[in-house]
Amino acid sequence: MSKRLFVGVFENEQDTLAAVRASRQRGFKIVDVYAPYAVHGLEEAMGLAPSRLPWIVFALGLLGAGLKVWFEFWTTAIDWPVNVGGKPFNSLPAFIPVTFEVMVLFAAVGAVLSFFFVCRLFPGKRTLLPVIGVTDDRFALVLEETDSRFEPTEVQKMFETLHAIHVEEQITAEPE
Amino acid sequence: MADAVLTLRPPLIDGDKSIAQVTHDVCAPMEARPSGLWWLALAASSSLLLLGALAIGYQIAVGVGTWGLNRTIGWAFDITNFVFWIGIGHAGTLISAVLFLFRQRWRTSVNRAAEAMTIFAVMCAGIFPIIHTGRPWFAYWLFPYPNTRGSLWVNFRSPLVWDCFAISTYFTVSAMFWFIGLLPDLATIRDRATAKWRRRLAGILSLGWNGSYRGWQRYEVVYLLLAGLGTPLVISVHTIVSWDFATSVLPGWHATLFPPYFVAGAIFSGMSMVLTLMIIARKLMRLEDYITLRHIDRMAKLVILTSCIVGLSYATEFFIALYSGSSYEQFVFLNRAMGPMFWAYWTMVSCNLLIPQLLWFRRIRAYVPAVFVISIFVNIGMWFERFVIIVTSLSRDFLPSNWFHYAPTRIEIATLMGSFGLFFTLFLLFCRFVPVIAVAEVKGVLKYGISHEEGDS
Amino acid sequence: MSSGNKHYWKALEEKEGGPEFLMDAAQDLVERGPRQFGRRDFLKAAGFTVGVAFATGCSRAPLQKAIPLLSQPEEIVPGRSLFYASTCSGCNAGCGVLAKVRDGRPIKLEGNPEHPFSQGGLCATGQASILGLYDSHRLQHPLKQGNKTDWEVADREILTHLASIRSQHGAVRFLTGTITSPSVLAAMQEFLKSFSDSRHVAYDPLSNSAILDAYQQTHGTRLLPHFHFEKAEVIASFDADFLGTWISPVEFTTAYRAGRNLEEKRVSYHVQFEPRMSLTGSKADRRFAVAPCDFGVLLTHLTRLVAKRAGISLDWAEPDASSVPRNCLDELADRLWRARGRSLVVCGSQAIQEQVLANYLNHLLGNYGAAIELDNPSLQAQGNDQDLESLIAELQTGKVDTLFVYGVNPAFDLPGDRWREALSKVPLLVSFSQRMDETASLAGYVVPEPHFLQSWNDTEAVSGIASISQPTVHPFAETRSLLETLSVWNGKSNSGYELLRDFWRARVFPRQKKEPNFDAFWDRSVHDGYAEVAPAVVKTKPFDLRAVQPILRSSANANSLALVLYPTLSMLDGRNAYNPWLHELPDPISKVTWDNYASLSPATAKKLGVNNGDIIRIDASAKNLKQLELPAYIQPGQHDDVVAVALGYGSRLSSRFAKVGPQWIDALLSVGENGLVGQNAASYLELKDGALRYASTQVALSRTEKQRELACTQIHNTLNVPEKLRPAGSGPRSIVQETTLAAFLKDPHSGVEDDEEKEDLWPTDHPYAGPRWGMVIDLNACTGCSSCVIACQVENNIPVVGRDEVRRNREMHWMRIDRYYSESDDGQVDVAHQPLMCQQCENAPCETVCPVLATVHSEDGLNQQVYNRCVGTRYCANNCPYKGRRFNWFNYSHDDHLQNLVLNPDVTVRSRGVMEKCTFCVQRIQEAKIEAKRRGENVVDGAVQTACQQSCPAHAIYFGDLNDPNSRVSKMMQNPRRYRVLEELNVRPAVGYLTVVRNRDQESKEEQHG
């Protein structure tokens, strides 16, 4: 089914923050906020749950480290043990540096990939901007009509009082 | 709240820019035709690059014998250059990761360029471990991959293997970090692009970023995570590089001091290289409002700090040698300071320890040309530091019968110049095609130090 | 190589079988080109392919099917070596050798352990002479006026010429070096008999003629006595370099070492008087630098002192004061007198009067019959310089119609211009030279000899020991041995084999009683390589005192520089100028390669204001000789009034080395401006009062502005670090540890520093179950003669890198001999030689740092280098405290196919970019292991001999299993003198060293090296 969206465009972060707070008081459903940079305080204002990425990264890091220690041990002590400079076959202390590097590698690559995944970012993706300029100097607050109690004119008024420079109504085939 | 405190500080960005201005200031130069100065610089650096390529080609075709090495001195320019470039790289990560963790907002206007520098420096560094081998076409044997030799793995006790992992991890992580930081700016370029090709290219690279705040939220987290991983990484990388020497038995190499000593040195050289580049870039790209005297001042202070750490390390080396009671150790250091290669040692000391002390004076820190010159000196000094450590220690070790001297050949010098050629070529291209300043981040700190009233008016 | 699987010739057919088979093989293999084979096949085949292909003008035959031999000769097992006993012809010493023949290809010479006087040792020249066999510049056919001809033509034309000479009673002269071959001498006599005016003139470019002349005067017979250094408890040597180049160095070294046996506490006392630092001087317990002009006076003084002790009053006038302090001479006289009958005075001088005095000293001391044997004299130097003097007179008057030159190169090794011009006067000059040397280039006919490994010959170097040289490979080209040539010219053309056998039946067999049956005698002689027979009877008169005359005045005016010409043990008289191995062998004292130079004492150099490499001009305008410009080399221990220059350099044979070594943009030529290696100083030789003089020319020195950096393998010469860099309270580095005899007798352990076992982090991690190979080197025995260096080079296919690379400190020798100077308590210069190779450390620093596991430890304790895994990071070499590793900086050329035949098929030829080093001759270890396994036993002690150990004339190297408590090497490891280099690093080397013990009285040997 189609959706009815109201986009309020602002030109600085204070107004945007105010608008977000106001919309939530009035119980409007905030689809999303678009900003040219990471506006601080928006997270609380929108009441978003904290991201779970750190946990994924932590797990991946451990995995990488574990695999590497095992691999080093297996290659030098099990698969083909050779006497190198009279050192023991299993020279664990010498394995630490590489283990650390691989841990970092796994964690970092994992972090980035999972970020792309959860944000659905991939090359050639069709970009959907609520209004032109949100990547330059515009801030956009997008509200969605949820039920019949939703009053477009009220939204309009609210946006204007919070010095929105421009308000528009969009009908989209499906939500983004 | 926080803003109140910040009002007491001077603004990070001069000229009271509006958000749109920032976008324009950074993107306009890229969309305009390049200046003649830029072409000149590119011509110079790329011809250096060509020279280096020829030298390396000849050396690979004929043999490592075309370098000045001998049976006593197995490493000289090759590994010196390697450590030098890796060191340069570290400042980039420091600025983007460490300063980020320390919430040093001033970093925003330099971190993009600094990270680019890191990547290019690591590229330059990466060349040398490969070409320094006797059989470069087999250099890939340093990686453990299943093979038909038994299968024969690598020696995980060897610092060179540690290097392989450290350098490749470091390069990967730096590159990803850089790209993540670039993502929103690519979107900006895409959306303001007039040229079709630029829009398409930026479109692909920006992965469809649209500034949605749900994206921004996770973006912040990832950025934080990468910074958190990058910080120990940068320290581990140079620690491992220093272990190439510290794990050996050679007097002058065999020192537990090396990891902190090398990391400090790396940041030291990196910072001065950042200064060198920034001072050039802000002139070339007219970015004085973004890379302000305050930035230069702060970086200069970091240079003094690290310079003092390095100086302390020099002193410690001598003390430990004395304290160890080993006549071999003691000799190596006397030989550095007073032996046949004393000139290299004293070049190092004066460039790394004495000259940077000038930066204690605020007036000198505020006088850009002076800072520029000093940063050049530091670069030279730090190259010599590695040279002194590697060559003088090797040239006179345990058995006097083995003592010998070293002089570089034309090929070696050309190779060193070539690496600079590669570095500057890449950097110039970067200046043209990538926003030298992290637009999104700068926008975020635009209001720092400016009270809202001014901001709103 | 293990004595267990050594194969000598035993039966006739076998011995026939050798060359016969080889020829078949040659015929059969010449069908194929060398390239279409695998390496092993190539090496097996190439011997003859290239050899014969070479003979047929290097034309590669089109590829055809390889046809295997129809009948495999039973002795030839592919991959197994045969050892043929033979006699070395590197010089006149005639040491016994075993030629190691692999798949029909001689690849190495080893000393024959059973040989009476060389006893298994072999010198550098001997070791390197195998390369001469595969020298592609050797003459391949007779030459007429420098153009190719064949034997028929040459023989015909020479014989017709000789016929006319006979008819006109023309003068025929045969000019040779010392000929130790009785069969050749006989053939030559027979040949010369057929002319009415003919004479055989023998001279030695490194002449000892004065010794023989002196014995003519004192004992009535012109002979060279046989010296027994092992029997001498006190040795006084007057400029006789008997460990280096004098008469029979290998034999003397072996004997000398036997006379200095610390285990049995009998150690000879050796005093050396010499103008320059010689190898012998470097081993002396007491050494005095004496100007050549002072030797006479010095000998006179010593004679008087000894005579006094003998109770003989000599009515001699008071001689000049000698340069050697009186008390030192007194002490020496005392020691000599106390050891009378067990002492030895040797003199290298070419002044007959001085030699006579030396004889008189030996006479007074009763050394005849003890350390000096006259009954079975040495025949190793028979040259007669008086004959030479008369010959050149004859030549200059144009009296000589035909001159045959064999084994010498008068146009090069005698004052050149004079001789060239004299030789050019001869209507017919015939040279037998193997190479196109200076004389051959003047000769009307050159009738080339084959290499001594390609022909039958015999040698009687010391009267009573007749040894045989047998061919181990068929001549590659149209060469013919002197024996055969003479027999052709004498009208009967037998094969060398028949000639030699007949001669032995007639002349040698009767001289022995043990073996009644000639065939058996012959076979045994061929098998052993020698036969002990009754020495030719020499009648010596009782010592003739009238001959003895004092020398009261020093021969030269004061403060003038004497030019001392000396042979190096690599070039000798220049006969080795073709040999790249010997050019690259560092001089044992100066460590300089690829050049000769003018050595000066530090004081003289200072006075002249020259440093190493400054070119100085040597000027003897008084004798209107052309000036000589040579780079200076500062030589500690040399007399201040002496400038020393090596002979044997600047030979045209060395012109081939211009482009030896890698060629790249910065490469320099290995030759000098004259296009040759070094410069020939022979023009400064003097032939006066019946002897060739090497040290009598007075010269003036002046420095030029020119420079020539010498290619020296060691640029820091002491164990002391430079004064201003010396850490407070640190002495010389204890790399070479030494003591005095007095201290040693008190405590055998003296001089050894820090030898307690260090704590090991992982003691039980890698137990060595089977054998664990180790080596001990006795620094006291080692003379630095460097034969081990060449032996290692031959055995391990070590490339020659050329002068420029050596100059860049990139020589490839796996084994080097470090030489350190130090100052003894009495202000003399002491020298220590230290052979150093990979120490095969148990906790090897090189292994830990190799990223690709290209160097790892074997379970029998070897530090292995895996060439094909090596990537060439050079990290291992950087981390090696001994710098025992060598890196292939370039692809060292192996383009000379003939020369490649000397390569040892058991050892990989390393490619560019890989690290290499000593492996304790792992290929020999494996061979012995396999052999032992085949026999189902353990490797017995001594079954494995490393190349260096085998060739060491001083038997200074012990090698074997350290896990076997009874092996010699583990016993030596227990020796109280044993220490390890850089023990404190606890890398646990498998190589131990035994301290140097100098025969001195003072116990405080607080060596102040420097």
Side-chain angles (χ1 to χ4, degrees), chain C residues 463-476:
Chain C
S463 177
I465 296 161
S467 55
I468 288 183
S469 311
Q470 56 179 315
T472 55
V473 62
H474 197 282
F476 304 147

Side-chain angles (χ1 to χ4, degrees), chain A residues 21-100:
Chain A
R21 295 204 185 90
S23 328
R24 283 193 70 204
Q25 275 170 1
R26 289 175 172 74
F28 296 137
K29 180 182 179 197
I30 298 172
V31 177
D32 206 337
V33 179
Y34 295 83
Y37 59 88
V39 179
H40 288 276
L42 246 181
E43 194 169 359
E44 304 75 30
M46 292 169 68
L48 294 174
S51 161
R52 289 181 306 286
L53 270 175
W55 296 105
I56 304 170
V57 173
F58 179 72
L60 283 169
L62 280 186
L63 176 70
L67 280 176
K68 194 56 187 174
V69 175
W70 169 80
F71 181 70
E72 290 180 289
F73 174 76
W74 178 74
T75 50
T76 36
I78 310 284
D79 185 38
W80 191 339
V82 268
N83 175 355
V84 174
K87 304 257 190 300
F89 293 131
N90 172 22
S91 313
L92 256 175
F95 298 164
I96 293 170
V98 177
T99 309
F100 175 82

Side-chain angles (χ1 to χ4, degrees), chain C residues 69 143 162 210 264 296 316 338 346 402 418 429 477 498 538 708 782 801 822 891 999 1005:
Chain C
L69 289 170
L143 296 175
L162 292 178
E264 291 162 23
W316 292 352
R338 261 187 272 118
V346 288
T402 309
R418 194 151 148 251
L429 177 62
E498 291 159 345
V538 284
R708 178 168 170 83
C782 172
V801 298
S822 57
N891 240 339
N999 189 341
K1005 186 60 192 174

Side-chain angles (χ1 to χ4, degrees), chain A residues 3-165:
Chain A
K3 277 187 171 187
R4 197 146 169 252
L5 302 173
F6 292 85
V7 182
V9 182
F10 303 86
E11 64 183 350
N12 65 47
E13 64 177 81
Q14 290 81 6
D15 299 345
T16 322
L17 275 167
V20 170
R21 295 204 185 90
S23 328
R24 283 193 70 204
Q25 275 170 1
R26 289 175 172 74
F28 296 137
K29 180 182 179 197
I30 298 172
V31 177
D32 206 337
V33 179
Y34 295 83
Y37 59 88
V39 179
H40 288 276
L42 246 181
E43 194 169 359
E44 304 75 30
M46 292 169 68
L48 294 174
S51 161
R52 289 181 306 286
L53 270 175
W55 296 105
I56 304 170
V57 173
F58 179 72
L60 283 169
L62 280 186
L63 176 70
L67 280 176
K68 194 56 187 174
V69 175
W70 169 80
F71 181 70
E72 290 180 289
F73 174 76
W74 178 74
T75 50
T76 36
I78 310 284
D79 185 38
W80 191 339
V82 268
N83 175 355
V84 174
K87 304 257 190 300
F89 293 131
N90 172 22
S91 313
L92 256 175
F95 298 164
I96 293 170
V98 177
T99 309
F100 175 82
E101 299 302 325
V102 173
M103 178 190 77
V104 172
L105 187 65
F106 267 60
V109 174
V112 172
L113 292 184
S114 39
F115 164 67
F116 289 160
F117 180 73
V118 293
C119 296
R120 306 279 186 288
L121 294 171
F122 53 86
K125 177 186 181 184
R126 205 169 103 266
T127 18
L128 300 160
L129 300 172
V131 287
I132 299 304
V134 284
T135 57
D136 179 0
D137 61 344
R138 290 281 177 269
F139 299 76
L141 168 58
V142 180
L143 302 178
E144 179 185 353
E145 173 184 34
T146 40
D147 48 23
S148 51
R149 290 199 286 98
F150 186 87
E151 186 47 69
T153 53
E154 190 184 340
V155 176
Q156 193 79 22
K157 199 178 300 104
M158 177 188 79
F159 279 152
E160 273 149 19
T161 52
L162 295 165
H163 10 274
I165 51 168

Side-chain angles (χ1 to χ4, degrees), chain B residues 1 10 35 39 86-87 91 100 110 112 174 191 196 203 222 225 231 267 278 295 306 326 430 449 457:
Chain B
M1 43 181 260
S35 67
W39 281 115
I86 283 290
F100 177 81
V110 291
R112 171 67 43 76
S174 311
D191 296 343
K196 209 175 174 65
V222 169
L225 285 169
T231 307
I267 294 164
M278 288 303 112
H295 291 98
T306 43
S326 151
F430 158 78
S457 59

